[in-house]
Structures are given as C-alpha cells and as structure tokens.
Amino acid sequence: MTNDVVITLVDRTNYHLFQPLLYQVATCGLAATDIAQPIRAILSEHTNLTVLLDKVEGFDLANKHVVLDGGPLKYDYLVLALGGQTGYFGHAEWEQYAPGLKTLDDALRIRSRVLLAFERAENEMNTAEHDRLMTVVIVGGGPTGVELAGSFSELTRTVLDREFRRIDPTQARIILIEGGPKILGHLPPELSDSALRQLEALGVEVRTSTQVKNISEGQVELVGGEIIQAGNILWAAGVSASPLTKKLGVPLDRGGRVKVNPDLSLPGHPEVFAIGDLAAVLQANGKPVPGVSPAAMQMGQHVARILTQEIRFQASPADRPAFKYHDKGTMATIGRSAAVAVLGPIRLTGFPAWLVWLVVHIFFLVGFRNRAAVMFQWMYSYFSFRRSARIITYLPRQAGDRPQAEGGAPVGLGFGSFNAAPAPTPPR
Amino acid sequence: MTNDVVITLVDRTNYHLFQPLLYQVATCGLAATDIAQPIRAILSEHTNLTVLLDKVEGFDLANKHVVLDGGPLKYDYLVLALGGQTGYFGHAEWEQYAPGLKTLDDALRIRSRVLLAFERAENEMNTAEHDRLMTVVIVGGGPTGVELAGSFSELTRTVLDREFRRIDPTQARIILIEGGPKILGHLPPELSDSALRQLEALGVEVRTSTQVKNISEGQVELVGGEIIQAGNILWAAGVSASPLTKKLGVPLDRGGRVKVNPDLSLPGHPEVFAIGDLAAVLQANGKPVPGVSPAAMQMGQHVARILTQEIRFQASPADRPAFKYHDKGTMATIGRSAAVAVLGPIRLTGFPAWLVWLVVHIFFLVGFRNRAAVMFQWMYSYFSFRRSARIITYLPRQAGDRPQAEGGAPVGLGFGSFNAAPAPTPPR
C-alpha cells in the first residue's frame, strides 16, 4: 500500500547534519563525522524512497517540477525543507570577515582559524598584533553565540593552557556582543541573568546593548566609535531562510521566510508545503513560531500526517488541520556543568540544566554509533579536560589568503597575513 | 640538567598524523581526528620544548640556521624528519588525475571523490558513463594499494550494498594494478599469494605484471594499449622524499633521499641528521633500510641517543655508533579478518594475522582517546557492517572542477563534470 507512494529526497550534501552540536565541531569538542550521518544510511530501510544528491536551481510550481542541476524533477506533492543560512541584515560584505555557523564547512573553518590565530600569536613579537590574535569576538547573544563564547573560553582556559611556551592562552579575550539588553533574550530574565553570570565565571566579556556599526578585516567597529581588534570575528546574530525561497514567487517575510497558510502549504499551492526555518507561521498567541529544531520536527510530522490522510484515505484538502506548535521547553549550554533550561514550569541552571541538555542532545542525535561516540567524547573531555578534534585541517579561501600551492603544502595554512616575525631563536 | 637543552619542533601542520591508518580515513572507516593528535598536546609535559607551526623554506647549513616562512631559526644540532610524498616517477602531471595518499587532505579528498562517483552513478542514465563512475583503479600493489583495494571493495559490498535504488554497489569494479609479478613483493611468496587470494575473495580484480603507460582525466592507459575508464584513479605506486632535500646541497639518491653517513648524519655536517623516509641508508646485508614506520622510529631513537651522549656526557662525534635496523616483522591488512603478517620466523594469514595487525596498530596509535575511539569504531564496524565516516565534505579544486560559489553552496560538490542526465522522474 505505502509502496504506491514514491518519495524522492533531494539534498546537496550526502549527510544529515545535527545542527545543535555544530558549535562543538567549531570548538574542537567533536569530529565532523560525529554529528553527520549519511542520508542513505538513515533511510536505507525505506524501499519506496530514493535519495538524490543534487542541487536545487529553481521551481516551476505551475508545471509541478523542481529544477535540479541534473534536470527537472516532477512531483505531485512538494515539501520544502531547505533550512536557513546566516543572515547579515543587509551587510552581506561582513560575511568574509565574520563567518557564521550553519554548515560543517563553517564549523571546520572556524575551528582551523581560531587554532591558527593562537599558533600565530605564539610566533608574534609585536604586542598589539599578539593581543589582536588572542581576541575572539562573537556577535550575537542568542544560543549559538552563548555556546560558542562559553566553549571557546573553556578551550583557552582548561585545554590549551599548558601547551604554549610564549603566549598564555588563559589571557585570551573572548568577547560576546549583544545588541539587546540581555543575552538569551527569549528566556525568562532570571535564566538570562544566570547565563550571564555563568559566562562571566568562564572569563567571557559580555557586552549587552552594544550595536555593531561595521566589520572589516580583523576589526569590529561599534556604534559609538569604539574599535575592537580581533584575530577572529564570528557572526551569530541572524538567520535568514534559504535564498531559494525568492524563486518561489510567493510572499516572503523580512527574513526571506515563506508566509505559509495555517496548514503550512503555500498560498495558492495546496500541493506545496514549506517547513522548518523556511516557514513564517504564527502561534495561537500571535507570536511567530521560533526557528528551533523542535518546531521544525513538529512541522515535518504535521505535513506527513496531512499527506497520509490525503493519499491513503482520500481526505479533502479543505479538512486540513492548522499547525499547532507545542513549546516543550528551551535550553542553552554554556560550558562544563553550566547551562540554563526551561521545561514547562521547571527552570534549571548550572549542573542540573547541563545534565538535561546532555541527555536531550544525545537522545535526538541520529544513529547508535554517533550517540555512543559523542557520549564517549563528552565523558573523556569531562574527566581529562582535553578536546579531541583540535586539528587544523583545511581553510577554504577567504579574502586576504595567499593562494594555495598546487600539490605543495598539504593544507592551506592561510599564512597570507602572517607577519614575518623576528627570528624565533631558542633562548640560549 | 636536561633543561639546558632547548628543543624547537617545527611542523607545517599542528598535528601528528598516524600514517598507517590513513587509508581508513580515505575509505570511510575512521574520522580524520581519530588518527591525528595535536603536537602540542602530545609534548605539553616537556617544558624545554617549543612547538612552532611554520613552513621550512630552505637551509643555511654553513651558518647553521633553517629558513622558515616566519624567519630564520638558528640551531646547534638539526634533525631533519620531513618525511616523504607521493612519487610519480617523473610523471608529475599524473597527480591531478590520480591522487596519492600521504596527507589527511589526500584522504579526505579521496573519500569525498569516491563517494561522489557513486552518487553520480545513481543519477546517470548513460551506461558507459555509469560503468566508468562505478570503477576505481588503484595503481601500485604495495601495502597502501592492497589496503585501499580491500577496504574499498568491502565498502561497496557490505556497507553501501542496500542503500542505492538504481545502481548496485556490489557491481563496482575495484582494480588493483601492479607492475611487478606479485603484489606485496617484499613479503615471502606464500604470503603474497595468500594476499592475492584474500583480495580476490573480496571481489578485487588484481592485475600483476601490468605497467601503466599514461594517465589522463578518468582513464588509465596500460602498456600494450588497453584503456581502463575509471571514476576514480588512486596512485599508490611510489614514494619520494620531501622535495626540500634538494635545498640541502648534499648527494641524494634517485628518490630524493639523503645519502647519510652510517650514523645518519649528513656528509660534511656531523651536526645535521636525516631520519625516516628522508634517509637513504644500507642494512648490514647490503639492502636499503625500508621506508617503514618501525625503521623511522628506530632512527629517531638512534639520533636521540647520540645527542644525549654528546650534549650530556661530552662524547666525541668520532665515537658515534652506526645505525642498525632491527626488522621486527611486516604486515598488511586486506579487510575484515583478512591480512598477512611476518613476525620473525612466524608467518600468519587470515584472521590471526588480522588480529595481530589490530593489536599492533592500536598500540602504536598516539593518545588514549584515539586508541579508545579507534577500538570502538572497529568493533562497531565489525559487528554492524557499517562505516562511520561516510560524509562528503570538501573537495579541494582539481582540474575540471567548476569554481566554487562564494558563500553559496556549503561545500564544493565538484559537479563540474556532472552530466545533465535525463530527468530523474519518480517511476510512477
């Protein structure tokens, strides 16, 4: 019966990425393969499902086909789950100086660039440049910004602390900049305050009510004129929907999200749905459904239920229920034994919040191997104060990088802006 | 006392790579971080040792300094352990079509390219192109070639077998080409024959006494005129020393190795040593010391002993002992429960050889975490017939690749030579 339905899943990568742990790849805690699973492996049991590695170029909603790089793909129903990307509020030019964290590539690039800055600092005799290399600025005090700031601060204070001879990694400055009056502004004020105290205890400089005016190579200019020099600037301030939504020809909100009907279908196209970070939809209380992974999963289940009703039981599209978001809670981790969590009426901070965070994230991670591997890494890090994925692998080209040698150096170490320091002679 | 000696370790990567397991990263069995450890972490206890991430540009042996990208580095003693690179016997132009396996970057590139070829085959309607994409040619029947061939064959036959809908991964052709009459020619003939049988049982086509005449994009031309079309061609036929040896101004052998004195020092430079794949040195029986990791480790210990004698006990360079290589055995793995091993008078094949191989490799892997992680992965793969690191991450540019979109597609999927196949319409 269900084999009458033929499902084609198109993705431009061959893996499903568990985004909530992406910051751990960026901060050397986990390997890329720990949070990614081949889509084919996850879905191999479903014989009526075909996986295609391909790139979506556009849509022809009138003729019901998706335009792929490899050719057109016809459909009866189409579910769009294209996700989001880092949003720069109209300052796309900042991206090259302040990368965001949405893909595995982003995470590996950030990991390599931050580690490389410390390596350069070790070899740098100029004090100002040394200080700049030892500074990481994170723009955006939402969950991703808080997680990155806490995790980088721990990396410098408990992992790298005894490994350098000339620099003192514990003196690294990790600066978290938030435009609003509070970090984690979506949480109750007492949890937001607790998160602030926990971050400061880790040595993070938190600057709230602080707006960024401009970002250029290695420096952040604040509204008010102050300039912060930094070896690494990371952007965690905004998310917008995939730019492919612009090719749908339907109304979008400011973040590029599709203004879907209450059943999550596109206006005028009951056979097309948009879910996840792609969909702009309101809760019963008039607030927008937040762009978090539980909401995306609930949307997926909602659309699957509608399709089952209509395909298997010939239900009428007129009878479709509206999507209802069930807020099961929210949490953010700050570091070792440090987190905040809201679970219905329960509010947790510190170790209990951190424990809940651990359990929930292990539970939702896809695949037995990844669960076991991540659990092992976390236990190892917890007891040894070490991190396992501290290798500088590759650095995709960025503005100012020296072109990579063909077949020469094994990895582009990005020495482009590396100052020829005075000879690092052994002190004898 | 020992703190009077100041040691500077220079490397262009920040990690120590366990090369014997590199083929497992290329064949999706292990993550890059499982076989790499940060050099700083390994050596953090040694307070008289400084680690520098830098690139060697040249040498000034007369004035006793190494020319680094970051400036000159003076020395009293210099130990060169620059390692080797893939050698193409004067056909450097083959590298772009047939990458070798010496670095983590190489391994990640090979992994992505082989997985991508199967993804493309799934979407390919042209039979000849489909067959080409499903073919992997490995040139060179030494340990690396045998390990790659066995491991790729297992990947297609036991891991990918149920995950595709249009192609049958078990029909993939894995072809191992060896110029000499036997694979693993350095082993006793009966072990070489056993390896051949074990490879053929895994479905590998082994072609011995077969010379390659030319390699171009996607095809290998053999002496005799036969042409093999292949989606992936891997080169495991030769190793030469780091090209930096040419800058030393001392006599080299055909492979670019330094013709060192019996104590491993450079002719005319008793204060400079070359060890590992860099050193051409003879055994007592007149044969060259093989370029294997036990030999390299013994050379390191030999030079360390000489330096300790001369620095701590003022021994005379005239009293230096000659390096003696102790051959403790040799082994090669072919696949699950399949290997060959020589340990002094003992010769093993199949499961016992494989077990010895496992134990030795876990033992020499650096770091508790990596040992535990690799052991876990192997147990997992053994019982589940799955491989954990099957993700297509990045592909450094190669001839024929489409330029990567700036900030667009998250990873360069290398669709450059991707044929626009007929529409992959669901078969309904």
Side-chain angles (χ1 to χ4, degrees):
Chain A
M1 181 73 182
T2 53
N3 269 317
D4 289 352
V5 179
V6 175
I7 303 166
T8 306
L9 179 61
V10 181
D11 202 288
R12 59 183 176 177
T13 70
N14 80 324
Y15 51 83
H16 166 72
L17 177 66
F18 190 61
Q19 291 214 4
L21 293 181
L22 204 48
Y23 83 95
Q24 294 229 345
V25 175
T27 58
C28 313
L30 293 175
T33 48
D34 290 336
I35 62 164
Q37 278 274 89
I39 297 172
R40 292 190 185 285
I42 301 171
L43 299 170
S44 64
E45 312 282 291
H46 300 276
T47 51
N48 62 338
L49 191 149
T50 303
V51 178
L52 272 190
L53 179 78
D54 210 332
K55 221 178 127 199
V56 175
E57 303 282 0
F59 308 93
D60 184 346
L61 300 190
N63 295 306
K64 295 191 182 176
H65 68 248
V66 180
V67 184
L68 303 179
D69 193 40
L73 177 66
K74 285 189 153 297
Y75 64 81
D76 296 311
Y77 285 102
L78 174 65
V79 182
L80 298 167
L82 293 153
Q85 62 174 24
T86 305
Y88 288 85
F89 306 123
H91 291 281
E93 73 279 9
W94 293 355
E95 185 176 10
Q96 56 186 316
Y97 312 118
L101 181 66
K102 288 300 279 182
T103 67
L104 264 187
D105 235 35
D106 291 340
L108 294 174
R109 180 165 64 177
I110 289 173
R111 178 178 86 187
S112 289
R113 292 210 154 250
V114 173
L115 290 175
L116 194 57
F118 289 107
E119 295 289 343
R120 284 179 182 166
E122 175 84 345
N123 214 0
E124 179 61 61
M125 304 297 150
N126 177 309
T127 313
E129 177 62 7
H130 167 275
D131 293 350
R132 188 184 77 83
L133 289 168
M134 299 279 286
T135 303
V136 180
V137 170
I138 295 149
V139 182
T144 301
V146 166
E147 283 161 357
L148 281 172
S151 193
F152 271 126
S153 197
E154 280 196 337
L155 179 70
T156 58
R157 275 143 184 85
T158 66
V159 181
L160 301 179
D161 56 337
R162 282 171 317 129
E163 296 188 3
F164 288 82
R165 296 293 169 254
R166 297 173 189 162
I167 64 168
D168 178 359
T170 66
Q171 297 304 307
R173 289 177 74 194
I174 315 290
I175 304 172
L176 180 64
I177 294 177
E178 163 59 35
K182 283 187 184 296
I183 57 166
L184 301 177
H186 61 299
L187 291 186
E190 69 266 34
L191 288 193
S192 165
D193 293 342
S194 165
L196 175 65
R197 284 192 302 272
Q198 295 182 59
L199 272 178
E200 287 179 340
L202 285 175
V204 177
E205 297 174 38
V206 182
R207 303 177 67 161
T208 49
S209 302
T210 302
Q211 277 88 32
V212 169
K213 189 176 164 192
N214 193 27
I215 299 179
S216 55
E217 177 68 35
Q219 66 177 35
V220 179
E221 187 184 346
L222 303 178
V223 169
E226 188 188 345
I227 286 176
I228 305 174
Q229 306 278 342
N232 277 278
I233 306 165
L234 310 178
W235 184 263
V239 175
S240 61
S242 160
L244 283 167
T245 55
K246 296 197 186 93
K247 302 198 175 177
L248 289 167
V250 297
L252 306 178
D253 78 354
R254 231 166 43 106
R257 278 172 288 265
V258 179
K259 291 184 174 173
V260 291
N261 295 325
D263 65 351
L264 303 179
S265 69
L266 264 59
H269 289 284
E271 76 285 3
V272 183
F273 298 86
I275 61 174
D277 284 355
L278 217 60
V281 60
L282 296 181
Q283 301 181 51
N285 62 12
K287 286 189 188 167
V289 173
V292 296
S293 102
M297 289 191 288
Q298 290 173 26
M299 290 186 201
Q301 288 155 355
H302 177 80
V303 171
R305 249 178 265 121
I306 289 178
L307 294 184
T308 308
Q309 286 297 318
E310 295 183 10
I311 296 171
R312 190 180 288 181
F313 305 112
Q314 285 77 44
S316 158
D319 297 334
R320 289 181 183 176
F323 172 68
K324 279 200 200 79
Y325 171 55
H326 300 283
D327 185 355
K328 292 176 181 163
T330 177
M331 52 184 89
T333 183
I334 292 147
R336 183 187 162 87
S337 310
V340 291
V342 186
L343 305 156
I346 305 166
R347 291 170 185 191
L348 301 172
T349 62
F351 184 77
W354 181 74
L355 213 58
V356 170
W357 181 91
L358 282 188
V359 171
V360 167
H361 282 76
I362 292 281
F363 180 79
F364 280 108
L365 197 61
V366 173
F368 163 75
R369 193 213 71 95
N370 285 12
R371 280 182 203 163
V374 168
M375 218 155 27
F376 167 71
Q377 309 274 25
W378 284 350
M379 278 177 54
Y380 171 77
S381 297
Y382 188 85
F383 291 110
S384 73
F385 291 93
R386 283 165 182 258
R387 294 201 189 174
S388 56
R390 267 177 49 215
I391 66 173
I392 300 172
T393 44
Y394 79 107
L395 296 167
R397 277 180 222 210
Q398 262 201 345
D401 276 3
R402 176 190 292 189
Q404 262 175 263
E406 286 303 318
V411 281
L413 284 175
F415 274 117
S417 59
F418 187 41
N419 286 324
T425 316
R428 45 156 39 190
Chain B
M1 182 71 180
T2 53
N3 269 317
D4 290 353
V5 179
V6 175
I7 302 167
T8 306
L9 179 60
V10 180
D11 202 288
R12 60 182 176 177
T13 71
N14 80 324
Y15 51 83
H16 166 73
L17 178 66
F18 190 63
Q19 292 214 3
L21 293 181
L22 204 48
Y23 83 96
Q24 294 230 346
V25 175
T27 58
C28 313
L30 293 174
T33 47
D34 290 336
I35 63 163
Q37 278 273 91
I39 297 171
R40 293 190 184 286
I42 301 171
L43 299 169
S44 65
E45 311 281 291
H46 300 276
T47 52
N48 62 339
L49 191 149
T50 303
V51 177
L52 272 190
L53 179 78
D54 211 332
K55 220 180 127 199
V56 175
E57 304 282 0
F59 308 94
D60 183 346
L61 299 189
N63 295 305
K64 295 191 182 175
H65 67 250
V66 180
V67 183
L68 302 180
D69 193 40
L73 177 65
K74 285 191 153 295
Y75 63 81
D76 296 311
Y77 286 102
L78 175 65
V79 182
L80 298 167
L82 293 153
Q85 63 175 24
T86 305
Y88 288 84
F89 306 124
H91 290 282
E93 73 277 11
W94 293 356
E95 185 176 9
Q96 58 187 313
Y97 311 118
L101 182 65
K102 287 301 278 182
T103 68
L104 264 188
D105 235 36
D106 291 341
L108 294 173
R109 179 165 65 177
I110 289 173
R111 179 178 84 187
S112 289
R113 292 208 156 252
V114 173
L115 290 176
L116 194 57
F118 290 107
E119 295 289 342
R120 284 178 183 168
E122 175 82 345
N123 213 2
E124 179 60 62
M125 305 296 151
N126 177 309
T127 312
E129 176 63 7
H130 167 275
D131 292 350
R132 189 184 76 83
L133 289 168
M134 299 279 287
T135 303
V136 179
V137 170
I138 296 150
V139 183
T144 301
V146 166
E147 282 160 358
L148 281 173
S151 193
F152 271 126
S153 197
E154 280 196 337
L155 179 70
T156 57
R157 276 144 184 83
T158 66
V159 181
L160 301 180
D161 56 338
R162 284 171 316 129
E163 295 189 5
F164 289 81
R165 297 291 170 256
R166 297 172 187 163
I167 64 169
D168 178 0
T170 66
Q171 297 304 307
R173 290 178 72 193
I174 314 290
I175 304 172
L176 180 64
I177 294 177
E178 163 60 35
K182 281 188 185 294
I183 57 166
L184 302 177
H186 62 299
L187 291 186
E190 69 267 33
L191 288 194
S192 164
D193 292 343
S194 164
L196 175 65
R197 283 191 303 273
Q198 294 181 62
L199 271 179
E200 287 179 341
L202 284 175
V204 176
E205 298 174 37
V206 181
R207 302 177 65 162
T208 49
S209 302
T210 303
Q211 277 88 30
V212 169
K213 189 175 164 193
N214 193 28
I215 299 179
S216 55
E217 177 70 33
Q219 66 177 36
V220 179
E221 185 183 348
L222 303 179
V223 170
E226 187 187 348
I227 286 176
I228 305 173
Q229 306 279 342
N232 277 278
I233 306 165
L234 310 179
W235 184 263
V239 176
S240 61
S242 160
L244 282 167
T245 55
K246 297 198 186 91
K247 302 198 174 177
L248 288 167
V250 297
L252 307 178
D253 77 355
R254 230 165 44 107
R257 278 172 288 264
V258 179
K259 291 184 173 172
V260 292
N261 296 325
D263 65 352
L264 303 180
S265 69
L266 265 60
H269 288 284
E271 75 285 3
V272 183
F273 298 86
I275 62 175
D277 284 355
L278 218 61
V281 60
L282 296 181
Q283 301 181 54
N285 63 11
K287 285 189 187 167
V289 173
V292 295
S293 102
M297 289 191 288
Q298 290 173 26
M299 291 185 201
Q301 288 154 354
H302 177 80
V303 171
R305 248 178 265 120
I306 289 178
L307 294 185
T308 308
Q309 285 297 317
E310 295 182 10
I311 296 171
R312 191 180 288 184
F313 305 112
Q314 286 77 45
S316 157
D319 298 333
R320 289 181 183 177
F323 172 70
K324 279 199 199 81
Y325 171 55
H326 300 283
D327 185 354
K328 290 175 183 166
T330 177
M331 53 184 87
T333 182
I334 292 147
R336 184 186 161 88
S337 310
V340 290
V342 186
L343 305 157
I346 305 166
R347 292 171 185 190
L348 300 173
T349 61
F351 184 77
W354 181 73
L355 213 58
V356 170
W357 181 89
L358 281 188
V359 171
V360 167
H361 282 76
I362 291 280
F363 179 80
F364 280 108
L365 196 61
V366 171
F368 163 75
R369 192 214 72 95
N370 285 11
R371 279 181 203 165
V374 169
M375 219 156 23
F376 167 71
Q377 309 273 26
W378 284 350
M379 279 176 54
Y380 171 77
S381 297
Y382 188 85
F383 291 109
S384 73
F385 290 92
R386 284 168 181 257
R387 293 200 189 173
S388 56
R390 267 176 49 213
I391 66 173
I392 299 172
T393 45
Y394 78 109
L395 296 166
R397 277 178 220 211
Q398 263 202 342
D401 275 1
R402 176 190 294 188
Q404 263 175 263
E406 285 304 318
V411 280
L413 284 175
F415 275 117
S417 58
F418 187 40
N419 287 325
T425 315
R428 46 158 35 190

